[in-house]
Coordinates of all heavy atoms in Angstrom, one line a residue:
M1 N 0.8 -1.2 0.0 CA 0.0 0.0 0.0 C 0.9 1.2 0.0 O 2.0 1.2 0.4 CB -0.9 0.0 1.2 CG -0.3 0.4 2.5 SD -1.4 0.3 3.9 CE -0.7 -1.1 4.7
V2 N 0.3 2.3 -0.4 CA 1.1 3.6 -0.4 C 0.6 4.5 0.7 O -0.6 4.6 0.9 CB 0.9 4.4 -1.8 CG1 1.5 5.7 -1.7 CG2 1.4 3.5 -2.9
E3 N 1.5 5.0 1.5 CA 1.2 5.9 2.6 C 1.8 7.2 2.4 O 2.9 7.4 1.9 CB 1.8 5.3 3.9 CG 1.2 4.0 4.3 CD 1.6 3.5 5.7 OE1 2.3 4.3 6.4 OE2 1.4 2.3 6.0
Q4 N 1.0 8.3 2.8 CA 1.5 9.7 2.6 C 2.0 10.1 4.0 O 1.4 10.0 5.0 CB 0.3 10.5 2.2 CG 0.6 12.0 2.1 CD 1.5 12.3 0.9 OE1 1.3 11.7 -0.2 NE2 2.5 13.1 1.0
W5 N 3.3 10.7 3.9 CA 3.9 11.3 5.1 C 4.4 12.6 4.7 O 4.4 13.0 3.5 CB 5.1 10.4 5.6 CG 4.6 9.1 6.2 CD1 4.2 8.0 5.5 CD2 4.5 8.8 7.5 NE1 3.9 7.0 6.3 CE2 4.0 7.5 7.6 CE3 4.7 9.5 8.7 CZ2 3.7 6.8 8.8 CZ3 4.4 8.9 9.9 CH2 3.9 7.6 10.0
R6 N 4.9 13.4 5.7 CA 5.4 14.7 5.4 C 6.5 14.7 4.4 O 6.7 15.7 3.7 CB 5.9 15.4 6.7 CG 4.7 15.9 7.5 CD 5.3 16.7 8.7 NE 5.5 15.8 9.8 CZ 6.0 16.1 10.9 NH1 6.5 17.3 11.1 NH2 6.2 15.2 11.9
D7 N 7.3 13.7 4.4 CA 8.5 13.6 3.5 C 8.1 12.9 2.2 O 9.0 12.5 1.5 CB 9.6 12.9 4.2 CG 9.3 11.5 4.7 OD1 8.2 11.1 4.7 OD2 10.3 10.8 5.0
G8 N 6.9 12.7 1.9 CA 6.5 12.1 0.6 C 5.6 10.9 0.7 O 5.2 10.5 1.8
E9 N 5.5 10.2 -0.4 CA 4.7 9.0 -0.4 C 5.7 7.8 -0.3 O 6.7 7.8 -1.0 CB 3.9 8.9 -1.7 CG 2.7 9.9 -1.8 CD 1.9 9.7 -3.0 OE1 2.3 9.0 -4.0 OE2 0.8 10.2 -3.0
W10 N 5.2 6.8 0.4 CA 6.0 5.6 0.6 C 5.2 4.3 0.3 O 4.1 4.2 0.7 CB 6.5 5.5 2.1 CG 7.5 6.6 2.4 CD1 7.2 7.9 2.8 CD2 8.9 6.6 2.3 NE1 8.3 8.7 2.9 CE2 9.4 7.9 2.7 CE3 9.8 5.6 2.1 CZ2 10.7 8.1 2.7 CZ3 11.1 5.9 2.1 CH2 11.6 7.1 2.4
Q11 N 5.9 3.5 -0.4 CA 5.3 2.1 -0.6 C 5.7 1.3 0.6 O 6.8 1.3 1.0 CB 5.9 1.5 -1.8 CG 5.3 0.2 -2.3 CD 4.0 0.4 -2.9 OE1 3.7 1.3 -3.6 NE2 3.1 -0.6 -2.7
V12 N 4.7 0.7 1.3 CA 4.9 0.0 2.5 C 4.3 -1.4 2.4 O 3.2 -1.6 1.9 CB 4.2 0.7 3.7 CG1 4.4 0.0 5.0 CG2 4.7 2.1 3.8
R13 N 5.1 -2.4 2.9 CA 4.7 -3.8 2.8 C 5.0 -4.5 4.1 O 6.1 -4.3 4.7 CB 5.4 -4.5 1.7 CG 4.9 -6.0 1.5 CD 5.6 -6.6 0.3 NE 7.0 -6.9 0.7 CZ 7.9 -7.4 0.0 NH1 7.6 -7.8 -1.3 NH2 9.1 -7.7 0.4
G14 N 4.1 -5.2 4.7 CA 4.3 -5.9 5.9 C 5.0 -7.2 5.6 O 4.8 -7.9 4.6
I15 N 5.9 -7.6 6.5 CA 6.7 -8.8 6.4 C 6.3 -9.7 7.6 O 6.5 -9.2 8.7 CB 8.2 -8.6 6.4 CG1 8.6 -7.6 5.3 CG2 9.0 -9.9 6.3 CD1 8.4 -8.1 3.9
S16 N 5.8 -10.9 7.4 CA 5.4 -11.8 8.5 C 6.7 -12.3 9.2 O 7.8 -12.4 8.6 CB 4.5 -12.9 8.0 OG 5.3 -13.8 7.2
G17 N 6.5 -12.7 10.4 CA 7.6 -13.3 11.1 C 8.2 -14.5 10.4 O 9.4 -14.7 10.3
G18 N 7.4 -15.3 9.8 CA 7.8 -16.5 9.1 C 8.6 -16.2 7.8 O 9.5 -17.0 7.4
A19 N 8.3 -15.1 7.2 CA 9.0 -14.7 6.0 C 10.3 -13.9 6.3 O 11.1 -13.6 5.4 CB 8.1 -13.8 5.1
S20 N 10.5 -13.5 7.5 CA 11.7 -12.7 7.9 C 12.9 -13.7 8.3 O 12.8 -14.3 9.3 CB 11.3 -11.9 9.1 OG 12.5 -11.2 9.5
T21 N 13.9 -13.7 7.4 CA 15.0 -14.7 7.6 C 16.3 -14.0 7.8 O 17.3 -14.7 8.0 CB 15.1 -15.6 6.4 OG1 15.3 -14.9 5.2 CG2 13.8 -16.5 6.2
K22 N 16.4 -12.7 7.7 CA 17.7 -12.0 7.9 C 17.5 -11.0 9.0 O 16.5 -10.6 9.4 CB 18.0 -11.3 6.6 CG 18.4 -12.2 5.4 CD 18.5 -11.5 4.1 CE 19.5 -10.3 4.1 NZ 19.6 -9.7 2.8
T23 N 18.7 -10.5 9.5 CA 18.7 -9.5 10.5 C 18.8 -8.1 9.8 O 19.7 -8.0 8.9 CB 19.9 -9.7 11.4 OG1 19.8 -10.9 12.1 CG2 20.0 -8.5 12.5
Y24 N 18.0 -7.2 10.2 CA 18.0 -5.8 9.6 C 18.2 -4.8 10.8 O 18.0 -5.2 11.9 CB 16.7 -5.5 8.9 CG 16.4 -6.4 7.7 CD1 15.6 -7.5 7.9 CD2 17.0 -6.2 6.5 CE1 15.3 -8.4 6.8 CE2 16.8 -7.1 5.4 CZ 15.9 -8.2 5.6 OH 15.7 -9.0 4.5
R25 N 18.6 -3.6 10.5 CA 18.7 -2.6 11.5 C 17.6 -1.5 11.2 O 17.5 -1.0 10.1 CB 20.1 -1.9 11.4 CG 20.2 -0.9 12.6 CD 21.6 -0.6 12.9 NE 22.4 -1.7 13.3 CZ 22.5 -2.2 14.6 NH1 21.8 -1.7 15.5 NH2 23.3 -3.3 14.8
C26 N 16.7 -1.3 12.1 CA 15.6 -0.4 12.0 C 16.2 1.1 12.0 O 16.9 1.4 13.0 CB 14.6 -0.6 13.1 SG 13.3 0.6 13.2
P27 N 15.8 1.9 11.0 CA 16.3 3.3 11.0 C 15.6 4.1 12.0 O 16.0 5.2 12.4 CB 16.0 3.7 9.6 CG 15.0 2.8 9.1 CD 15.1 1.5 9.8
G28 N 14.5 3.6 12.6 CA 13.7 4.4 13.6 C 14.3 4.4 15.0 O 14.3 5.4 15.7
C29 N 14.9 3.2 15.3 CA 15.4 3.1 16.7 C 16.9 2.6 16.7 O 17.5 2.5 17.7 CB 14.6 2.1 17.5 SG 14.6 0.4 16.9
D30 N 17.4 2.3 15.5 CA 18.8 1.8 15.4 C 19.1 0.5 16.1 O 20.2 0.2 16.5 CB 19.8 2.9 15.8 CG 21.2 2.6 15.3 OD1 21.3 2.1 14.2 OD2 22.2 2.9 16.1
Q31 N 18.0 -0.3 16.3 CA 18.2 -1.6 16.9 C 17.9 -2.7 15.8 O 17.3 -2.4 14.8 CB 17.2 -1.8 18.1 CG 17.4 -0.8 19.2 CD 18.7 -0.9 19.8 OE1 19.2 -2.0 20.2 NE2 19.4 0.2 20.0
E32 N 18.3 -3.9 16.1 CA 18.2 -5.0 15.1 C 16.8 -5.5 15.1 O 16.1 -5.5 16.1 CB 19.1 -6.1 15.5 CG 20.6 -5.8 15.3 CD 21.4 -7.0 15.6 OE1 21.0 -8.0 16.3 OE2 22.6 -7.0 15.2
I33 N 16.4 -5.9 13.9 CA 15.1 -6.6 13.7 C 15.6 -8.0 13.4 O 16.2 -8.3 12.3 CB 14.3 -6.1 12.5 CG1 14.0 -4.6 12.7 CG2 13.1 -6.9 12.3 CD1 13.4 -3.9 11.5
R34 N 15.4 -8.9 14.3 CA 16.0 -10.3 14.2 C 15.1 -11.2 13.3 O 13.9 -10.9 13.1 CB 16.0 -10.9 15.6 CG 16.8 -10.1 16.6 CD 18.2 -10.0 16.3 NE 18.9 -10.8 17.3 CZ 20.1 -11.3 17.1 NH1 20.7 -11.1 16.0 NH2 20.7 -12.0 18.1
P35 N 15.7 -12.2 12.8 CA 14.9 -13.2 12.0 C 13.7 -13.7 12.8 O 13.8 -13.9 14.0 CB 15.9 -14.3 11.7 CG 17.2 -13.7 11.8 CD 17.1 -12.6 12.9
G36 N 12.6 -13.8 12.1 CA 11.4 -14.3 12.8 C 10.5 -13.3 13.4 O 9.4 -13.5 13.9
V37 N 10.9 -12.0 13.3 CA 10.1 -10.9 13.8 C 9.4 -10.2 12.7 O 10.0 -9.7 11.7 CB 11.1 -9.9 14.6 CG1 10.3 -8.6 15.0 CG2 11.8 -10.5 15.7
A38 N 8.1 -10.1 12.9 CA 7.3 -9.4 11.9 C 7.6 -7.9 11.9 O 7.9 -7.3 12.9 CB 5.8 -9.5 12.2
H39 N 7.7 -7.3 10.7 CA 8.1 -5.9 10.6 C 7.5 -5.3 9.2 O 6.8 -6.0 8.5 CB 9.6 -5.7 10.7 CG 10.4 -6.4 9.7 ND1 10.6 -7.8 9.7 CD2 11.0 -5.9 8.6 CE1 11.4 -8.1 8.6 NE2 11.6 -7.0 7.9
L40 N 7.9 -4.1 8.9 CA 7.5 -3.5 7.7 C 8.8 -3.2 6.8 O 9.8 -2.9 7.3 CB 6.8 -2.1 7.9 CG 5.6 -2.2 8.7 CD1 5.1 -0.7 9.1 CD2 4.5 -2.9 8.0
V41 N 8.6 -3.1 5.5 CA 9.6 -2.6 4.6 C 9.0 -1.5 3.9 O 7.8 -1.5 3.4 CB 10.2 -3.7 3.7 CG1 9.1 -4.3 2.8 CG2 11.4 -3.3 2.9
A42 N 9.7 -0.4 3.7 CA 9.2 0.8 3.1 C 10.3 1.4 2.1 O 11.5 1.2 2.3 CB 8.9 1.9 4.1
W43 N 9.8 1.9 1.0 CA 10.7 2.6 0.0 C 9.9 3.7 -0.7 O 8.7 3.7 -0.6 CB 11.2 1.6 -1.0 CG 10.2 0.9 -1.8 CD1 9.7 1.2 -3.1 CD2 9.4 -0.3 -1.5 NE1 8.8 0.4 -3.5 CE2 8.5 -0.6 -2.6 CE3 9.3 -1.1 -0.4 CZ2 7.6 -1.6 -2.6 CZ3 8.4 -2.2 -0.4 CH2 7.6 -2.4 -1.5
P44 N 10.6 4.7 -1.2 CA 9.9 5.8 -1.9 C 8.9 5.3 -3.0 O 9.3 4.5 -3.8 CB 11.0 6.7 -2.5 CG 12.2 6.3 -1.7 CD 12.0 4.8 -1.3
A45 N 7.7 5.9 -3.0 CA 6.7 5.5 -4.0 C 6.8 6.3 -5.2 O 6.0 6.0 -6.2 CB 5.3 5.6 -3.3
D46 N 7.7 7.2 -5.3 CA 7.8 8.0 -6.5 C 8.4 7.4 -7.7 O 8.5 7.9 -8.8 CB 8.5 9.3 -6.2 CG 10.0 9.1 -5.7 OD1 10.5 8.0 -5.9 OD2 10.6 10.1 -5.2
G47 N 8.9 6.1 -7.6 CA 9.5 5.4 -8.7 C 11.0 5.7 -9.0 O 11.6 5.2 -9.8
R48 N 11.5 6.7 -8.2 CA 12.9 7.1 -8.5 C 13.9 6.2 -7.8 O 15.1 6.1 -8.1 CB 13.1 8.5 -8.1 CG 12.4 9.5 -8.9 CD 12.8 10.9 -8.6 NE 12.3 11.2 -7.2 CZ 12.3 12.3 -6.6 NH1 12.8 13.4 -7.3 NH2 11.8 12.5 -5.4
G49 N 13.4 5.5 -6.7 CA 14.3 4.6 -6.0 C 14.5 3.3 -6.6 O 13.9 2.9 -7.6
D50 N 15.4 2.5 -6.0 CA 15.7 1.1 -6.4 C 15.7 0.3 -5.1 O 15.3 0.7 -4.1 CB 16.9 1.0 -7.3 CG 18.2 1.4 -6.5 OD1 18.2 1.5 -5.3 OD2 19.2 1.6 -7.2
L51 N 16.1 -1.0 -5.3 CA 16.1 -1.9 -4.2 C 17.0 -1.4 -3.0 O 16.7 -1.7 -1.8 CB 16.6 -3.3 -4.6 CG 15.7 -4.0 -5.6 CD1 16.4 -5.4 -6.0 CD2 14.4 -4.3 -4.9
T52 N 18.0 -0.6 -3.3 CA 18.9 -0.1 -2.2 C 18.1 1.0 -1.3 O 18.6 1.3 -0.3 CB 20.2 0.5 -2.7 OG1 19.9 1.6 -3.6 CG2 21.0 -0.6 -3.5
D53 N 17.0 1.5 -1.8 CA 16.3 2.5 -1.0 C 15.3 1.8 -0.1 O 14.6 2.6 0.7 CB 15.5 3.4 -2.0 CG 16.5 4.3 -2.8 OD1 17.4 4.9 -2.2 OD2 16.3 4.3 -4.0
R54 N 15.1 0.5 -0.1 CA 14.2 -0.1 0.9 C 14.8 -0.2 2.3 O 16.0 -0.4 2.4 CB 14.0 -1.6 0.4 CG 13.1 -1.7 -0.8 CD 12.5 -3.0 -0.8 NE 13.1 -3.8 -1.8 CZ 12.9 -5.1 -2.0 NH1 11.9 -5.7 -1.3 NH2 13.5 -5.8 -2.9
R55 N 14.0 0.1 3.2 CA 14.4 0.1 4.6 C 13.4 -0.8 5.4 O 12.2 -0.7 5.2 CB 14.4 1.5 5.3 CG 15.4 2.4 4.6 CD 16.9 1.9 4.9 NE 17.8 2.8 4.3 CZ 18.4 2.5 3.1 NH1 18.1 1.4 2.4 NH2 19.3 3.3 2.6
H56 N 13.9 -1.6 6.3 CA 13.1 -2.4 7.2 C 12.9 -1.8 8.5 O 13.9 -1.3 9.1 CB 13.8 -3.8 7.3 CG 13.9 -4.6 6.1 ND1 13.0 -5.6 5.8 CD2 14.6 -4.4 5.0 CE1 13.3 -6.1 4.6 NE2 14.3 -5.4 4.1
W57 N 11.7 -1.6 9.0 CA 11.3 -0.9 10.2 C 10.5 -1.8 11.1 O 9.7 -2.6 10.7 CB 10.4 0.3 9.8 CG 11.0 1.4 9.0 CD1 11.3 1.4 7.7 CD2 11.3 2.7 9.5 NE1 11.8 2.6 7.3 CE2 11.7 3.4 8.4 CE3 11.1 3.3 10.7 CZ2 12.1 4.8 8.6 CZ3 11.5 4.6 10.9 CH2 12.0 5.3 9.8
H58 N 10.7 -1.6 12.4 CA 9.8 -2.2 13.4 C 8.4 -1.4 13.1 O 8.4 -0.2 12.8 CB 10.2 -1.8 14.8 CG 11.4 -2.5 15.3 ND1 12.6 -1.9 15.5 CD2 11.6 -3.9 15.5 CE1 13.5 -2.8 15.9 NE2 12.9 -4.0 15.9
S59 N 7.3 -2.1 13.2 CA 6.0 -1.5 12.9 C 5.8 -0.3 13.8 O 5.3 0.7 13.3 CB 4.9 -2.6 13.1 OG 5.1 -3.7 12.3
G60 N 6.1 -0.4 15.1 CA 5.9 0.8 16.0 C 6.8 2.0 15.6 O 6.3 3.1 15.7
C61 N 8.0 1.7 15.2 CA 8.9 2.8 14.8 C 8.4 3.5 13.6 O 8.5 4.7 13.4 CB 10.3 2.2 14.6 SG 11.1 1.6 16.1
W62 N 7.9 2.7 12.6 CA 7.3 3.3 11.4 C 6.1 4.2 11.7 O 6.0 5.3 11.3 CB 6.9 2.2 10.4 CG 6.3 2.8 9.2 CD1 4.9 2.8 8.9 CD2 6.9 3.5 8.1 NE1 4.7 3.4 7.7 CE2 5.9 3.8 7.2 CE3 8.2 3.8 7.8 CZ2 6.2 4.5 6.0 CZ3 8.5 4.4 6.6 CH2 7.5 4.8 5.7
R63 N 5.2 3.7 12.6 CA 4.0 4.6 13.0 C 4.4 5.8 13.7 O 3.7 6.8 13.6 CB 3.1 3.7 13.8 CG 2.3 2.7 13.0 CD 1.2 2.0 13.8 NE 1.7 1.4 15.0 CZ 2.1 0.2 15.2 NH1 2.1 -0.6 14.1 NH2 2.5 -0.3 16.3
A64 N 5.6 5.8 14.4 CA 6.0 6.9 15.2 C 7.0 7.8 14.5 O 7.5 8.8 15.1 CB 6.6 6.4 16.6
R65 N 7.3 7.6 13.3 CA 8.4 8.2 12.6 C 8.2 9.7 12.5 O 9.2 10.5 12.5 CB 8.7 7.6 11.3 CG 7.7 7.8 10.2 CD 8.0 6.9 9.0 NE 9.0 7.4 8.2 CZ 8.9 8.1 7.1 NH1 7.7 8.3 6.7 NH2 9.9 8.5 6.4
D66 N 7.0 10.2 12.5 CA 6.8 11.7 12.4 C 6.9 12.4 13.7 O 7.0 13.6 13.8 CB 5.5 12.0 11.7 CG 4.3 11.5 12.5 OD1 4.5 10.6 13.3 OD2 3.2 12.0 12.2
R67 N 7.0 11.6 14.8 CA 7.1 12.2 16.2 C 8.6 12.0 16.7 O 8.8 12.5 17.8 CB 6.2 11.5 17.1 CG 4.7 11.7 16.8 CD 3.8 11.1 17.8 NE 4.0 9.7 18.2 CZ 3.4 8.7 17.6 NH1 2.5 8.9 16.7 NH2 3.7 7.5 18.1
R68 N 9.4 11.4 16.0 CA 10.8 11.2 16.4 C 11.8 12.1 15.6 O 11.6 12.4 14.5 CB 11.2 9.8 16.2 CG 10.5 8.8 16.9 CD 11.0 7.4 16.5 NE 10.3 6.4 17.3 CZ 10.8 5.3 17.8 NH1 12.1 5.1 17.6 NH2 10.1 4.5 18.5
G69 N 12.9 12.4 16.3 CA 14.0 13.1 15.6 C 14.8 12.1 14.9 O 14.6 10.9 15.0
P70 N 15.8 12.5 14.1 CA 16.6 11.6 13.3 C 17.5 10.8 14.3 O 17.9 11.3 15.3 CB 17.5 12.5 12.4 CG 17.3 13.8 12.9 CD 16.1 13.9 13.8
V71 N 17.7 9.5 14.0 CA 18.5 8.6 14.8 C 19.9 8.7 14.4 O 20.2 8.6 13.2 CB 17.9 7.2 14.7 CG1 18.8 6.2 15.5 CG2 16.5 7.1 15.3
T72 N 20.8 8.8 15.3 CA 22.2 8.8 15.0 C 22.6 7.3 14.7 O 22.4 6.5 15.6 CB 23.1 9.3 16.1 OG1 22.6 10.7 16.4 CG2 24.5 9.3 15.8
Q73 N 23.2 7.1 13.6 CA 23.6 5.7 13.3 C 24.9 5.4 14.0 O 25.9 6.2 13.9 CB 23.8 5.6 11.8 CG 22.5 5.8 11.0 CD 21.5 4.7 11.2 OE1 21.8 3.5 11.3 NE2 20.3 5.1 11.4
R74 N 24.9 4.3 14.7 CA 26.1 3.9 15.5 C 26.7 2.6 14.9 O 26.0 1.9 14.2 CB 25.7 3.6 16.9 CG 25.2 4.8 17.6 CD 24.8 4.5 19.0 NE 23.5 3.8 19.0 CZ 23.2 2.6 19.6 NH1 24.2 2.0 20.2 NH2 22.1 2.1 19.5
G75 N 27.9 2.4 15.2 CA 28.6 1.2 14.7 C 28.0 0.0 15.5 O 27.4 0.1 16.6
R76 N 28.1 -1.2 14.9 CA 27.6 -2.4 15.6 C 28.2 -2.7 17.0 O 27.6 -3.3 17.8 CB 27.8 -3.6 14.7 CG 26.8 -3.6 13.5 CD 27.0 -4.8 12.7 NE 26.2 -4.6 11.5 CZ 25.2 -5.4 11.2 NH1 24.9 -6.5 11.9 NH2 24.5 -5.3 10.1
G77 N 29.4 -2.2 17.2 CA 30.1 -2.4 18.5 C 29.8 -1.4 19.5 O 30.2 -1.5 20.6
A78 N 29.0 -0.4 19.2 CA 28.6 0.7 20.1 C 27.7 0.2 21.2 O 26.9 -0.7 21.0 CB 28.0 1.9 19.4
P79 N 27.8 0.7 22.4 CA 26.9 0.3 23.5 C 25.5 0.6 23.2 O 25.2 1.6 22.5 CB 27.4 1.0 24.7 CG 28.2 2.2 24.2 CD 28.7 1.8 22.8
R80 N 24.6 -0.2 23.7 CA 23.1 0.1 23.5 C 22.6 0.9 24.8 O 23.1 0.6 25.9 CB 22.3 -1.2 23.4 CG 22.6 -1.9 22.1 CD 21.8 -3.0 22.0 NE 22.1 -3.7 20.7 CZ 21.4 -4.6 20.2 NH1 20.2 -4.9 20.6 NH2 21.8 -5.2 19.1
Y81 N 21.7 1.8 24.6 CA 21.2 2.6 25.6 C 19.7 2.2 25.8 O 19.0 2.0 24.8 CB 21.3 4.1 25.4 CG 22.8 4.5 25.2 CD1 23.3 4.6 23.9 CD2 23.6 4.6 26.3 CE1 24.6 4.9 23.8 CE2 24.9 5.0 26.2 CZ 25.4 5.1 24.9 OH 26.7 5.5 24.8
G82 N 19.2 2.3 27.0 CA 17.8 2.1 27.3 C 17.5 0.7 27.5 O 16.7 0.0 27.7

């Protein structure tokens, strides 16, 4: 489905836990989405992007993305907070 946000239109698709076989890093919280965890994948709906523009998000992080500031990307060895 296509969703409208302040930063444009996004194509969004739900990924079931059974279909999730890789680890991804959520851009909303900078935490891992582990295999077997249901989540969303989103990419720009304007047709200008390609497969590298797809991002995997926790469902809650995607819904809250307009209320959050940008997340600082850390290295995998950085300590986790919270």
Side-chain angles (χ1 to χ4, degrees):
M1 77 180 111
V2 175
E3 294 185 14
Q4 179 69 41
W5 290 81
R6 281 188 271 175
D7 59 349
E9 291 185 343
W10 293 84
Q11 186 75 35
V12 180
R13 185 178 71 180
I15 305 295
S16 70
S20 177
T21 60
K22 292 172 51 179
T23 299
Y24 299 98
R25 185 159 302 272
C26 175
C29 66
D30 196 34
Q31 299 298 312
E32 289 183 346
I33 302 171
R34 307 291 253 158
V37 174
H39 62 281
L40 300 172
V41 62
W43 64 94
D46 59 13
R48 292 184 296 189
D50 60 17
L51 293 178
T52 63
D53 294 310
R54 286 202 259 176
R55 296 292 178 264
H56 293 256
W57 292 74
H58 292 110
S59 301
C61 293
W62 176 257
R63 288 189 303 270
R65 67 191 285 260
D66 62 342
R67 297 187 306 267
R68 296 178 178 219
V71 172
T72 302
Q73 299 294 318
R74 298 177 282 126
R76 289 182 184 241
R80 292 186 184 198
Y81 300 98

